[in-house]
Amino acid sequence: MHARVRKVCVLGHIARYVVYRTNDARCLDYATVGGTVSRVKASRHGNLTAGNLVLGYTGWQDYAVSDGKGLTALYPRDPHPSRALGVLGMLGFTTYMGLLDIGRPRILYIETLRMNQSNSMNETVDTTPAHTLRLILGDQLNPQHSWFAAVRTDVVYVLMEVRQETDYVLHHAQKIIAIFAGMRDLARHLREGGHTVHYLAIDDPANQQSLTGNLSALIEHYGVQVFEYQDPDEYRLDQQLRDFLASSRREISINSSCVDSEHFFTQRHEVAELFTGRKQWLMETFYRHMRKRHNVLIEGADKPAGGQWNFDAENRKPWKGDPPEPLDLRPQHDHSALWTTIQAAGVQSFGEPAAAHFRWPVNRVEALQQLDHFAVHALPNFGDYEDAMSHKAQRLFHSLLSFAINVKMLNPREVVSRVEAEWRAGRVELAAAEGFIRQVIGWREYVRGIYWAQMPGYDEHNFFEHTTPLPKWFWTGDTRMNCMAASVGGSLQNAHAHHIQRLMVIGNFALLAGLDVQALHRWYLGVYIDAFEWVELPNVLGMSQFADGGLLATKPYVSSAAYIDRMSDYCKGCAYDKKQRLGESACPFNALYWDFYQRNADKLERNPRIGMAYRQLAKMPIEEVTALQAQASQTRQRLDTL
């Protein structure tokens, strides 16, 4: 006979109950008293702590509350704790036979509620035992995943807020709040659907603040036999889980499986397979392949709608104030309590939290509403002004859907389908629809393929060997350069900037000034609410900084003040003169631009796409080139005070 080990609440705030089912009306309506071996779940007793095994006389019941008197602590790792009850288990044998013969009970489930008045997300519902534990990461907030199609009582879903994820780079406050709020809302949604969820809040005392530390504890706690997880999108997490499972299999008997996230158009290595044997992996080649494969904006036999694949040349108009920027109808949330919890937990961040008036969606319903608003009110003008910038309008006609898509509240297929439907219904121009779809089905899938083909190691590239520290105003936005103040300052204020601000203002300046590539990568990864390494790293190191030497981009994307002036109103009223190359009032972009090409001539002058720049340099008097180099050197030495 094996005595059953019971769990006991010792002076704690944990309520537990057990449900029995009998095969007839005869059942016990009271707890049989007898000796028990119990495990302490919570305690305020000075000599007993959570996890202790104790011998006592607490009754033959699943949960009990005790003042600690009459409890004897046992060796916590005794593999056979029932031996403390005696050979026959004292009264346990009688109780065992009585229940077996009379009641014939079957335990359906045991639920645990951990109550904390200050934080409702510390409430967890635990199913014991659990055959399967399923992990949901913070960027896997898809309530339509096939996992959730059926409710299984032997499955526990776990979501966890951990310092491992808040701290691996310094993140914008809104990014932390948005992901935590989205995780909490998904947990609520799953519970309401009947699923069992174990949620580890950032301030949960049981939270070990690491992914694998918590998984180990939960696997032991539930007696898990199978661990399942969705494909992580970041290499570090993918490798961490693989290493953890390899180690776990050596220590415990557990099966595991990784399933598709059911989100992307492509598999991880599909891009690499398409470009096998090619020196350059051109996005346009991939984009056309995707359009044909998924029949997007296609007419006839693999022919592009409108007779051409790309309308980018038509999408470069500056915005002069008309048409007006659409109203911001995104939902508003008060996440002040959550923000207080995050701060109290010691999580460090930067940027404006905006917790009391939070504008990012927390669930799929809100994300779909945002998609609808974009399609109706902003998409018609998106194409013309997608590259435009203005200090009068931070959003212009951009969707701001990237966060909802990247955390998988929205599926890219439904976004692409909605945009194409707007064109086919005649409500938007083809150039607008194609320009947006190219970003989703083309660029987004393409950079993901680059990432998985080049990792590990892609984050170490530094083609130009740039090491200059980031200026202090990258953390404050306090600079006299209007374009950088608007783009960096807007990023700090909103945790968002559109692609031209990221590429042709901030990234452009960083490349010209020779800023540390890895430090810049960490800044971009932290500051933007939609930034996850798979999408951010190729964009920053490859596209923006040309740090991979041209694998992703065909040329460095740099410009003088002329481009910024053409596409924005930033130069008006700026402390620096957009037309001047030399002197204290000269725009820093101008001298830095020419110096960049001059000092990197050995690496770039044979690039056919930038031959014009070197032809212009060749025509300059040597004295002018020397003066530009001196101006650029002085600028780089005083970056903090620009």
Side-chain angles (χ1 to χ4, degrees):
M1 185 208 73
H2 297 283
R4 300 172 66 190
V5 177
R6 296 301 186 185
K7 298 179 180 178
V8 62
C9 295
V10 179
L11 301 177
H13 296 286
I14 299 179
R16 303 174 181 276
Y17 59 89
V18 61
V19 177
Y20 287 97
R21 176 175 294 165
T22 65
N23 61 353
D24 57 36
R26 294 177 296 167
C27 61
L28 299 178
D29 58 0
Y30 58 91
T32 301
V33 178
T36 59
V37 172
S38 309
R39 188 179 298 279
V40 178
K41 295 302 293 179
S43 174
R44 291 184 180 176
H45 193 281
N47 297 325
L48 296 173
T49 60
N52 284 162
L53 284 175
V54 293
L55 174 65
Y57 204 71
T58 54
W60 194 257
Q61 58 197 57
D62 285 87
Y63 305 97
V65 177
S66 169
D67 61 4
K69 295 179 180 179
L71 297 182
T72 302
L74 303 176
Y75 178 61
R77 299 189 182 278
D78 189 338
H80 303 289
S82 63
R83 291 181 298 194
L85 295 172
V87 177
L88 295 180
M90 299 170 70
L91 296 181
F93 181 74
T94 305
T95 307
Y96 172 81
M97 291 300 296
L99 288 174
L100 182 64
D101 187 57
I102 299 173
R104 299 183 182 177
R106 178 164 58 95
I107 297 178
L108 297 180
Y109 57 85
I110 298 174
E111 294 184 349
T112 302
L113 299 178
R114 295 182 184 172
M115 303 305 296
N116 182 322
Q117 297 299 322
S118 66
N119 188 345
S120 62
M121 283 312 299
N122 273 345
E123 176 182 319
T124 65
V125 181
D126 299 347
T127 299
T128 307
H131 177 273
T132 302
L133 184 70
R134 287 175 171 173
L135 171 66
I136 302 173
L137 296 173
D139 63 346
Q140 296 174 343
L141 308 183
N142 172 21
Q144 295 190 316
H145 194 278
S146 60
W147 266 358
F148 313 129
V151 174
R152 286 178 50 186
T153 58
D154 64 337
V155 172
V156 172
Y157 294 95
V158 59
L159 296 93
M160 57 182 81
E161 304 167 357
V162 287
R163 293 291 296 271
Q164 168 191 310
E165 294 304 290
T166 62
D167 297 2
Y168 72 93
V169 295
L170 188 65
H171 289 288
H172 197 292
Q174 289 182 42
K175 185 177 184 180
I176 300 170
I177 294 171
I179 292 175
F180 282 12
M183 291 168 63
R184 293 176 176 213
D185 195 89
L186 179 62
R188 175 196 58 78
H189 172 82
L190 293 178
R191 284 175 176 148
E192 290 178 352
H195 299 282
T196 302
V197 179
H198 190 117
Y199 196 98
L200 280 168
I202 192 68
D203 61 344
D204 191 323
N207 191 341
Q208 300 190 27
Q209 303 300 339
S210 78
L211 187 66
T212 54
N214 284 330
L215 288 176
S216 293
L218 291 171
I219 287 171
E220 180 180 2
H221 172 75
Y222 288 110
V224 171
Q225 299 176 36
V226 177
F227 171 67
E228 297 177 348
Y229 64 104
Q230 298 176 32
D231 271 327
D233 291 328
E234 294 193 344
Y235 177 83
R236 64 181 180 86
L237 291 175
D238 186 73
Q239 195 61 43
Q240 182 184 19
L241 286 171
R242 289 176 184 272
D243 291 344
F244 166 72
L245 291 171
S247 174
S248 296
R249 290 189 191 100
R250 291 192 296 268
E251 298 176 4
I252 58 176
S253 177
I254 185 171
N255 295 316
S256 65
S257 64
C258 180
V259 302
D260 192 270
S261 66
E262 303 173 4
H263 177 78
F264 294 96
F265 282 93
T266 57
Q267 297 301 310
R268 283 180 178 178
H269 301 293
E270 203 167 313
V271 173
E273 292 169 0
L274 179 66
F275 289 108
T276 299
R278 305 191 192 190
K279 182 178 180 180
Q280 275 196 324
W281 297 14
L282 297 179
M283 200 285 284
E284 186 68 21
T285 301
F286 172 76
Y287 173 53
R288 296 183 184 188
H289 163 78
M290 292 292 287
R291 288 267 298 274
K292 294 175 184 177
R293 178 178 175 181
H294 296 281
N295 196 35
V296 175
L297 297 179
I298 293 293
E299 294 180 339
D302 286 345
K303 299 297 182 181
Q308 64 189 72
W309 293 101
N310 192 315
F311 291 85
D312 190 42
E314 300 182 23
N315 297 342
R316 298 174 181 174
K317 296 178 182 178
W319 184 70
K320 304 297 185 181
D322 187 65
E325 180 184 52
L327 294 175
D328 187 357
L329 298 183
R330 291 177 296 164
Q332 291 195 49
H333 297 281
D334 186 353
H335 291 315
S336 299
L338 174 57
W339 176 234
T340 298
T341 298
I342 292 169
Q343 289 180 297
V347 176
Q348 300 299 306
S349 64
F350 69 111
E352 172 57 47
H357 305 283
F358 204 78
R359 303 308 303 269
W360 298 101
V362 300
N363 55 44
R364 175 173 169 77
V365 172
E366 293 180 352
L368 285 170
Q369 292 171 347
Q370 189 176 334
L371 171 60
D372 185 68
H373 181 260
F374 166 68
V376 174
H377 299 287
L379 180 60
N381 294 307
F382 170 79
D384 285 344
Y385 305 108
E386 67 172 290
D387 288 1
M389 299 172 285
S390 174
H391 72 278
K392 299 176 183 178
Q394 185 71 17
R395 293 175 291 106
L396 280 175
F397 305 98
H398 292 272
S399 72
L400 277 66
L401 290 169
S402 51
F403 168 73
I405 298 174
N406 287 355
V407 298
K408 304 177 183 61
M409 293 176 185
L410 292 179
N411 190 290
R413 293 168 185 80
E414 64 190 333
V415 176
V416 168
S417 295
R418 176 62 189 275
V419 171
E420 182 173 9
E422 292 298 307
W423 167 68
R424 293 197 180 277
R427 291 188 287 267
V428 302
E429 296 295 328
L430 179 57
E434 186 279 321
F436 187 85
I437 286 172
R438 183 176 356 111
Q439 293 185 0
V440 180
I441 199 173
W443 187 254
R444 184 173 183 264
E445 299 283 334
Y446 169 72
V447 297
R448 176 174 178 258
I450 293 283
Y451 176 80
W452 283 106
Q454 298 299 316
M455 288 296 283
Y458 190 71
D459 55 344
E460 298 173 3
H461 286 298
N462 192 353
F463 182 67
F464 295 115
E465 300 179 353
H466 287 167
T467 58
T468 301
L470 304 188
K472 294 178 180 179
W473 42 264
F474 263 64
W475 311 101
T476 65
D478 186 14
T479 171
R480 291 179 295 155
M481 290 184 287
N482 275 2
C483 60
M484 294 298 286
S487 299
V488 173
S491 300
L492 296 171
Q493 183 71 24
N494 304 309
H496 186 271
H498 72 68
H499 64 288
I500 295 299
Q501 293 169 315
R502 300 189 199 195
L503 175 66
M504 295 306 300
V505 180
I506 303 173
N508 182 12
F509 179 86
L511 182 52
L512 296 178
L515 300 188
D516 186 314
V517 173
Q518 275 69 42
L520 187 70
H521 151 55
R522 292 190 293 271
W523 185 84
Y524 270 87
L525 183 57
V527 73
Y528 293 119
I529 196 166
D530 54 15
F532 297 91
E533 192 179 70
W534 66 269
V535 66
E536 173 275 330
L537 184 60
N539 269 296
V540 174
L541 262 69
M543 185 67 173
S544 172
Q545 300 303 293
F546 204 74
D548 62 6
L551 173 66
L552 190 150
T554 57
K555 67 172 184 175
Y557 279 81
V558 294
S559 77
S560 63
Y563 173 83
I564 297 173
D565 182 50
R566 183 167 67 251
M567 296 307 302
S568 76
D569 56 12
Y570 292 155
C571 295
K572 295 177 182 178
C574 183
Y576 297 100
D577 190 334
K578 63 187 179 183
K579 296 182 179 180
Q580 296 297 316
R581 295 179 177 178
L582 303 173
E584 290 186 5
S585 63
C587 175
F589 277 88
N590 293 332
L592 289 173
Y593 173 79
W594 292 110
D595 176 67
F596 171 78
Y597 279 124
Q598 180 66 20
R599 59 190 167 90
N600 292 299
D602 60 328
K603 295 183 176 181
L604 297 176
E605 63 182 349
R606 288 182 293 277
N607 186 317
R609 292 205 63 196
I610 51 179
M612 182 179 293
Y614 284 102
R615 288 193 293 272
Q616 289 181 279
L617 269 173
K619 294 177 182 178
M620 289 184 188
I622 188 63
E623 296 81 8
E624 183 176 357
V625 174
T626 301
L628 286 170
Q629 288 180 296
Q631 175 88 8
S633 177
Q634 293 173 7
T635 299
R636 288 196 299 273
Q637 291 174 16
R638 60 184 186 93
L639 293 178
D640 283 339
T641 60
L642 289 179

